[in-house]
Amino acid sequence: MSVQNAMMESGLFEDLQKKIDEDTQVKDTLREIVQQLEKQDRATQAILSKAHSTPSAELSPVLQAAQSSIENEVQSIQRLAEVASKHPYYRYNYAWTREMQSAVSGKHDLLERRGLNTQPGHLLTLAEVTTLMQIPPIAPTTDSFHLTPEEYLQSLISLVDELSRLARNSVTLGDTARPLQISKFIKDVHAGFQMLNLRNDGLRKRSDGVKYRVKEAEDVVYDLSLRGLLPGQGKV
Amino acid sequence: MAEPTSDSPESPFLPIFETFRKEIDEHHERRERVIKASRDITASSKKIIFTLHRLRTIGQSLPDHIAKANKPYTTDIATKLTLIAPDLQGQNADRYSRQISSGLQEYIEAASFQYYLETGTLLTYATAASNVRDLCTGEAKVKLGYEDYILGLYDFTGEVMKFGITAMATSGTIPISGPGRTLLTDLRALRAGLEGVRFGGSPVAREVDKKAEVMRVSVEKVEKALYGLTVRAGERPKGWMPSDGDGGRGEGVEV
């Protein structure tokens, strides 16, 4: 240790650098997986986007493609879970939270679209969606990878955004029954959000938008009913 | 807000949302407690720093009146850390690290400044972390992240600069901090050390970049002041303070 630098212990900054380097290594590993997930997710969203212009009768192959794309995502999520579970959960949470929200909303989206043809209006719970996507369940006392309530709720908002778009596009494709189902679904989700005391954070900002989606879907239903175009309304 | 007009007014999804309600409420309460405590810790740390600036020398234990003046602030910091320690356990330590960060940084700034004035040396991370731990009198302890320690050190260089400028302006010499060392050699050593630390693409990196720029200016201020002292040595009466007209624009007299 040099005499003129007795101001600090030798190796003080080198030790700190070591800690930073360890952190950086973890982040690099995570980033590589998250980037892969993000790419796969974009593919899923692109397929689901195509579904906006596909009539119900021809929807099946599109949804099938979306399903296999989501299966790719599930594989990435499993790799992510394996690495992330080795580290304090919230330390690196920021690295994947957006991608996870998007991946989960894709799954919601797919199932809602399937459901709309058969049993409308089922909302996947957090436990259901994590099981479907093979995400480990929440374990508050360990650092195991999971989906947070905030991420789940964020994914619902993305779903609502997509559905309100689908309400209009269904009409264009000649399906006038869907907007009714969608309108009810969005209203029910909105009622759910109103139960939560959200403060000023990301979730609050985005959930404020849900009420506009309620209105958009209602407007579509209104337009249809005004013209006697709703199912069972028998044109005058 | 739109009234439910459908035949079933009660949303079937309410039970799903009900499960999050408590969790989200608790989250916001914890978060707000931590933010409040962080603000209080920042305020008390600033007051400690302010008192410490009344000193003029390095390497002596704190005079009684300074120690006494700072006691209530240290007590306040201990109280606030103890209060929020339970909110910062397990997963939550990282979850709210951004909320407590500014308070801890300011505390590190104050603690390392005091330590430097007393000993002429730099407070280590290990000592700083154990100080933070010991301030928590309850069972739960607050953990000091190394990022907050480093960010606190950057701010500490600013205090060393202010201290140096005031001491030079009032005594006409640069404070000696140890054998063969002055405040300026220490400040340069700190700068070299901090500049050697490289953050990758982490969220802290941007904050570090901003603080690094401020630190460079601080070191330069002391260098300019020392230059002024050297150039005018012998031709200025004791107690004289640099003024404008020499291109320094009075920078040397910043408090």
Side-chain angles (χ1 to χ4, degrees):
Chain A
M1 177 163 155
S2 53
V3 186
Q4 76 272 24
N5 263 357
M7 188 230 176
M8 57 188 80
E9 270 179 23
S10 70
L12 186 141
F13 285 105
E14 287 79 357
D15 286 349
L16 292 169
Q17 185 67 52
K18 248 180 252 160
K19 291 185 202 294
I20 296 174
D21 290 345
E22 282 164 18
D23 254 5
T24 309
Q25 219 170 10
V26 178
K27 274 178 224 157
D28 287 348
T29 314
L30 290 170
R31 187 176 309 128
E32 188 256 319
I33 304 173
V34 171
Q35 273 172 356
Q36 175 78 10
L37 175 61
E38 202 240 327
K39 224 190 292 169
Q40 293 161 337
D41 184 56
R42 248 183 293 148
T44 309
Q45 303 295 346
I47 297 168
L48 286 171
S49 197
K50 217 188 305 171
H52 276 282
S53 53
T54 312
S56 308
E58 299 155 33
L59 204 54
S60 183
V62 179
L63 296 185
Q64 194 51 50
Q67 175 59 34
S68 49
S69 181
I70 288 175
E71 273 157 25
N72 293 336
E73 293 185 53
V74 168
Q75 281 179 11
S76 295
I77 291 171
Q78 282 185 311
R79 276 176 64 210
L80 179 61
E82 197 188 316
V83 178
S85 295
K86 291 182 196 144
H87 304 283
Y89 179 77
Y90 280 103
R91 186 163 182 87
Y92 304 106
N93 171 271
Y94 71 91
W96 62 69
T97 183
R98 229 163 20 113
E99 286 73 12
M100 283 302 292
Q101 284 163 27
S102 186
V104 171
S105 90
K107 183 74 183 174
H108 274 303
D109 196 345
L110 171 65
L111 289 177
E112 285 313 324
R113 285 184 207 217
R114 269 206 190 130
L116 284 171
N117 294 328
T118 52
Q119 42 136 356
H122 176 69
L123 179 62
L124 288 179
T125 64
L126 193 153
E128 282 169 345
V129 83
T130 49
T131 308
L132 283 170
M133 298 198 80
Q134 303 179 35
I135 302 166
I138 295 187
T141 50
T142 73
D143 283 316
S144 114
F145 182 80
H146 60 266
L147 189 73
T148 66
E150 284 86 353
E151 287 162 352
Y152 168 80
L153 293 169
Q154 288 275 13
S155 78
L156 291 191
I157 297 170
S158 307
L159 169 68
V160 164
D161 289 350
E162 271 304 290
L163 287 181
S164 80
R165 206 184 135 210
L166 185 65
R168 285 187 298 270
N169 291 335
S170 311
V171 177
T172 314
L173 289 171
D175 183 348
T176 54
R178 256 192 194 180
L180 264 180
Q181 296 163 349
I182 291 176
S183 173
K184 165 131 185 12
F185 182 88
I186 296 181
K187 252 185 236 166
D188 288 343
V189 171
H190 179 243
F193 271 104
Q194 283 195 306
M195 283 183 65
L196 306 175
N197 300 314
L198 300 173
R199 317 278 170 90
N200 283 326
D201 57 9
L203 190 55
R204 163 68 186 275
K205 254 175 256 158
R206 280 194 74 213
S207 73
D208 280 348
V210 174
K211 61 175 175 284
Y212 298 108
R213 304 287 99 83
V214 172
K215 187 175 179 304
E216 281 176 31
E218 271 179 353
D219 284 350
V220 174
V221 173
Y222 172 75
D223 283 343
L224 292 176
S225 74
L226 201 64
R227 293 166 179 80
L229 296 173
L230 287 175
Q233 223 181 355
K235 268 197 196 175
V236 190
Chain B
M1 206 62 45
E3 282 294 315
T5 48
S6 58
D7 39 359
S8 59
E10 178 90 330
S11 162
F13 305 154
L14 294 187
I16 297 180
F17 285 85
E18 185 75 58
T19 59
F20 301 130
R21 207 178 154 149
K22 192 161 156 262
E23 150 75 19
I24 287 181
D25 283 349
E26 284 171 355
H27 159 65
H28 284 300
E29 276 160 24
R30 275 194 301 266
R31 194 168 165 273
E32 271 160 32
R33 272 198 298 271
V34 173
I35 290 173
K36 255 195 215 151
S38 178
R39 260 190 226 136
D40 291 344
I41 293 168
T42 302
S44 283
S45 301
K46 276 190 200 296
K47 285 176 189 148
I48 290 177
I49 293 167
F50 194 73
T51 316
L52 291 173
H53 273 298
R54 287 197 235 144
L55 294 168
R56 291 288 172 268
T57 55
I58 300 173
Q60 274 153 14
S61 56
L62 291 190
D64 279 350
H65 69 282
I66 301 279
K68 222 173 122 193
N70 274 343
K71 188 127 199 310
Y73 305 132
T74 314
T75 310
D76 180 54
I77 295 172
T79 312
K80 299 294 151 55
L81 281 176
T82 308
L83 177 78
I84 53 158
D87 292 325
L88 295 171
Q89 298 307 303
Q91 284 186 4
N92 288 341
D94 287 306
R95 190 175 192 185
Y96 305 110
S97 62
R98 268 188 47 210
Q99 278 72 37
I100 189 62
S101 178
S102 62
L104 286 178
Q105 284 179 40
E106 199 75 27
Y107 168 72
I108 292 305
E109 180 179 344
S112 52
F113 187 40
Q114 177 171 337
Y115 190 83
Y116 178 66
L117 293 181
E118 287 179 310
T119 66
T121 58
L122 182 63
L123 182 71
T124 63
Y125 172 53
T127 313
S130 90
N131 283 357
V132 170
R133 231 180 0 252
D134 294 345
L135 281 168
C136 308
T137 49
E139 206 157 284
K141 305 291 181 193
V142 173
K143 249 184 74 193
L144 174 70
Y146 69 83
E147 293 98 334
D148 292 335
Y149 170 74
I150 294 175
L151 290 167
L153 287 193
Y154 272 104
D155 296 336
F156 160 64
T157 60
E159 299 310 327
V160 175
M161 179 275 288
K162 284 183 206 166
F163 180 84
I165 299 288
T166 314
M168 284 157 84
T170 49
S171 73
T173 55
I174 184 141
I176 304 296
S177 54
R181 290 192 293 127
T182 67
L183 178 138
L184 182 58
T185 59
D186 289 348
L187 206 49
R188 283 179 179 146
L190 255 178
R191 173 182 172 163
L194 285 170
E195 281 182 341
V197 177
R198 294 166 315 276
F199 279 89
S202 75
V204 201
R206 250 164 301 154
E207 218 176 323
V208 167
D209 284 346
K210 254 191 286 165
K211 293 195 182 216
E213 189 47 42
V214 177
M215 173 189 69
R216 280 189 272 276
V217 174
S218 289
V219 177
E220 241 176 82
K221 277 185 185 169
V222 176
E223 285 171 345
K224 275 184 190 158
L226 186 60
Y227 160 81
L229 277 185
T230 312
V231 163
R232 286 180 288 272
E235 62 182 57
R236 50 176 279 292
K238 201 168 155 70
W240 179 91
M241 292 208 217
S243 60
D244 15 46
D246 53 6
R249 294 187 311 282
E251 270 170 61
V253 277
E254 184 181 328
V255 190

